Amino acid sequence: MPEPANLTRPQDGLGLDDATAQIIALAVSMKPGIQPLSADAILADAGLDSLAMVRLLVALEEHFSLVYPSGALTPENFATSGTIARLTLAERARRGKREVPLISDSDPA
């Protein structure tokens, strides 16, 4: 899935405002005609349905080069662009600069 043209790959030291702006751009690209978003806008209320949220999750993992742990995939963490940004920054900090495999040895097959 192509990313919106105005996005660049995130760099180390990505701040909350930049992460939120990138997540908003990705969210808006998931569903044509979505209402304008702010960091605290509830994505479901703005028009993202369950299919768009799954597409957003995939786009986020690709864009930020990470895989969210299954325990983090909660409605609360994915309610708004701001909550997603905080989760994303926490995961990037936790994982550091190392490559993140799509499936780790500890994941059940």
Side-chain angles (χ1 to χ4, degrees), residues 29-72:
S29 74
M30 294 297 116
K31 184 113 179 179
I34 191 171
Q35 299 174 13
L37 295 175
S38 64
D40 59 351
I42 304 295
L43 296 176
D45 292 348
L48 262 72
D49 58 20
S50 59
L51 179 58
M53 289 299 294
V54 170
R55 290 177 50 222
L56 176 60
L57 172 63
V58 171
L60 289 165
E61 289 184 335
E62 182 178 304
H63 179 73
F64 290 105
S65 301
L66 60 80
V67 176
Y68 296 102
S70 59

Side-chain angles (χ1 to χ4, degrees), residues 14-103:
L14 181 70
L16 184 60
D17 289 342
D18 288 335
T20 302
Q22 291 180 22
I23 291 164
I24 288 171
L26 286 169
V28 168
S29 74
M30 294 297 116
K31 184 113 179 179
I34 191 171
Q35 299 174 13
L37 295 175
S38 64
D40 59 351
I42 304 295
L43 296 176
D45 292 348
L48 262 72
D49 58 20
S50 59
L51 179 58
M53 289 299 294
V54 170
R55 290 177 50 222
L56 176 60
L57 172 63
V58 171
L60 289 165
E61 289 184 335
E62 182 178 304
H63 179 73
F64 290 105
S65 301
L66 60 80
V67 176
Y68 296 102
S70 59
L73 302 178
T74 65
E76 296 80 17
N77 283 340
F78 285 82
T80 69
S81 298
T83 59
I84 296 170
R86 285 188 288 283
L87 172 65
T88 299
L89 293 177
E91 278 304 303
R92 285 173 54 95
R94 187 176 76 78
R95 294 173 184 260
K97 295 182 183 179
R98 66 183 169 88
E99 286 292 315
V100 179
L102 290 178
I103 299 175

